[in-house]
Amino acid sequence: MPSKFKLPIIDVSPFTTDSSDRAAKLEVAKQIHKACRDVGFFYLTGHNIPQEIMDKTLKLGYEFFHLPDEEKFNYSITKQDNARGYQRLGEGVTKYQKDWNEALDFYKPVPRTHPLALKKLPIGGENQWPEKPSEFRAVFNEYKDYMLRLGDQVMRAIALSLGLEENFFNKFLDDCFWVMRISGYPDLRSASGKDRVGFSLGEHTGDNLYLIFIHDDTKGALQVQTSDGDWINADPLQGAFVVNICDMLNVWTNNIYKSTLHRVVHKGDSYRVTVPFFYEPNYDAKVEPLEACLQIDPVKHHEPIIFGEHLLKKVSGNFEIIDHNFL
Ligand SMILES: N=C(N)NCCCC[C@H](N)C(=O)O
Ligand SMILES: O=C(O)CCC(=O)C(=O)O
Ligand SMILES: [Fe+2]
């Protein structure tokens, strides 16, 4: 059903340039508050990230997914820790149904002394960087650095939007446990009968803090649920990122900010590529409803969560094959 609802577009340049114009920042914070409260999804402009690198990531993702299967399987998550690396079509699972996308996942590296590595748990291994295309590793490392900077800048805006000091979240985020995914979606109609479950990526909310996200120019694929229960398209807007508020911000704000249901249904001739970057708290950050939000509604809607434990639980449920005997 077509909806008149439009996702908000927010220009965050007062936070991404050297401006110290507090009034301009507060104005952005006001828009962010409204968008996070009412929708949990918005377009972000004024990010100060070169279009060239955004285009390059999508192009390299496309090229990687078009390599022969044998080449891609060299980087399979099952050769590492069942989390870092390549997942073939149907290997990812949402709500117990196969997703019809393929993906490459990278996480912040962990030292060998990290509990995840010592216990040989998912995410405890090493990132698997493809050798082809040859620029892949360098470009995505550069992109990751851009995303970490933007993530910090947007988080400052979010802090102001909650009436907090700009740097309020620093202590929770100064060792951001980032996740970067490169995701490829063939036409869902190409899936054979038993694999065609109706969604390319089943409906879910983000298990993370928030997601900064680019996608190619395919329309009609990413869908977002509005507070009326309608599904609307979050089509690409040239030069803009899409931001999706995820579960950790929902917990911190005691439900004031929405972690919005979304899904992907890509039925079209093109091969769709997206690059979601999950900006995260530190692995051991304790996330619980903030005092400032409890003043508005004193009923605590969430118990404290250690972010890393939460992430591990979610990632472990994300695949059919869980084989802990890696390495
Ligand atoms: N952080 C990652 N990898 N995001 C992808 C989430 C896809 C939904 C997930 N399978 C679920 O069941 O929630
Ligand atoms: O690729 C997309 O369009 C959505 C990705 C997404 O929601 C996710 O990876 O969590
Ligand atoms: Fe998602």
Side-chain angles (χ1 to χ4, degrees):
M1 187 191 19
S3 168
K4 289 206 169 52
F5 192 90
K6 290 255 185 312
L7 293 177
I9 302 174
I10 303 180
D11 176 348
V12 295
S13 46
F15 290 89
T16 58
T17 50
D18 283 336
S19 147
S20 50
D21 181 346
R22 186 146 170 102
K25 285 183 169 176
L26 285 172
E27 177 49 38
V28 174
K30 216 158 80 185
Q31 293 174 34
I32 288 201
H33 185 86
K34 190 168 179 331
C36 296
R37 189 193 60 196
D38 298 345
V39 214
F41 254 81
F42 58 90
Y43 293 104
L44 185 141
T45 61
H47 45 70
N48 221 1
I49 292 179
Q51 184 67 41
E52 190 196 348
I53 186 144
M54 296 166 72
D55 295 343
K56 254 194 196 165
T57 60
L58 293 170
K59 179 169 162 288
L60 289 169
Y62 185 94
E63 286 170 11
F64 176 79
F65 291 129
H66 285 78
L67 293 172
D69 284 343
E70 310 83 79
E71 176 75 25
K72 293 188 280 187
F73 292 158
N74 286 334
Y75 308 102
S76 167
I77 55 168
T78 58
K79 298 198 172 170
Q80 257 295 327
D81 57 3
N82 287 314
R84 297 174 192 254
Y86 173 71
Q87 302 134 50
R88 63 181 193 283
L89 287 174
E91 197 166 2
V93 170
T94 301
K95 299 219 167 122
Y96 309 106
Q97 293 196 315
K98 287 182 181 186
D99 296 323
W100 208 243
N101 69 330
E102 51 185 333
L104 254 179
D105 281 347
F106 299 92
Y107 294 77
K108 177 189 166 67
V110 290
R112 289 189 173 274
T113 50
H114 194 282
L116 287 172
L118 292 175
K119 295 185 191 153
K120 295 190 186 288
L121 290 167
I123 330 178
E126 289 180 11
N127 285 332
Q128 306 191 71
W129 290 100
E131 278 167 22
K132 292 181 201 161
S134 57
E135 281 185 299
F136 195 99
R137 184 174 187 158
V139 169
F140 277 97
N141 262 311
E142 190 186 351
Y143 185 70
K144 180 253 306 165
D145 291 339
Y146 273 118
M147 287 298 104
L148 285 176
R149 196 175 69 193
L150 180 62
D152 171 65
Q153 290 162 336
V154 173
M155 208 55 209
R156 289 171 179 277
I158 290 176
L160 272 192
S161 82
L162 291 166
L164 303 165
E165 284 308 312
E166 249 188 63
N167 61 4
F168 176 85
F169 288 103
N170 281 13
K171 57 182 178 294
F172 300 104
L173 305 173
D174 53 5
D175 195 19
C176 165
F177 201 85
W178 57 267
V179 185
M180 179 166 61
R181 156 168 279 219
I182 299 105
S183 204
Y185 297 86
D187 184 348
L188 183 58
R189 295 168 303 184
S190 68
S192 68
K194 71 175 173 29
D195 290 329
R196 197 188 300 167
V197 294
F199 301 114
S200 308
L201 187 62
E203 63 182 58
H204 63 281
T205 60
D207 36 359
N208 321 80
L209 177 53
Y210 66 87
L211 169 64
I212 313 175
F213 176 83
I214 49 175
H215 42 185
D216 67 15
D217 51 11
T218 310
K219 292 201 167 62
L222 176 61
Q223 304 175 351
V224 174
Q225 192 176 49
T226 68
S227 50
D228 302 331
D230 295 335
W231 288 92
I232 58 164
N233 294 331
D235 284 339
L237 181 69
Q238 174 66 19
F241 288 92
V242 173
V243 175
N244 161 217
I245 298 306
C246 299
D247 297 347
M248 292 304 102
L249 210 49
N250 180 253
V251 172
W252 256 325
T253 63
N254 202 29
N255 292 356
I256 296 174
Y257 285 2
K258 286 211 165 57
S259 181
T260 304
L261 271 179
H262 54 284
R263 66 187 184 197
V264 178
V265 183
H266 174 44
K267 293 180 183 168
D269 294 337
S270 66
Y271 183 95
R272 176 173 185 259
V273 178
T274 68
V275 184
F277 188 89
F278 301 89
Y279 188 74
E280 308 291 30
N282 301 347
Y283 186 83
D284 51 10
K286 185 174 170 196
V287 181
E288 59 189 325
L290 297 169
E291 249 347 285
C293 299
L294 288 169
Q295 280 171 16
I296 296 164
D297 172 5
V299 179
K300 256 194 199 180
H301 296 290
H302 300 275
E303 292 301 315
I305 289 174
I306 302 297
F307 174 68
E309 291 171 6
H310 169 76
L311 180 68
L312 180 61
K313 207 156 50 184
K314 292 292 288 201
V315 170
S316 304
N318 264 346
F319 305 108
E320 291 173 289
I321 308 157
I322 304 292
D323 170 11
H324 294 292
N325 295 320
F326 78 100
L327 300 181

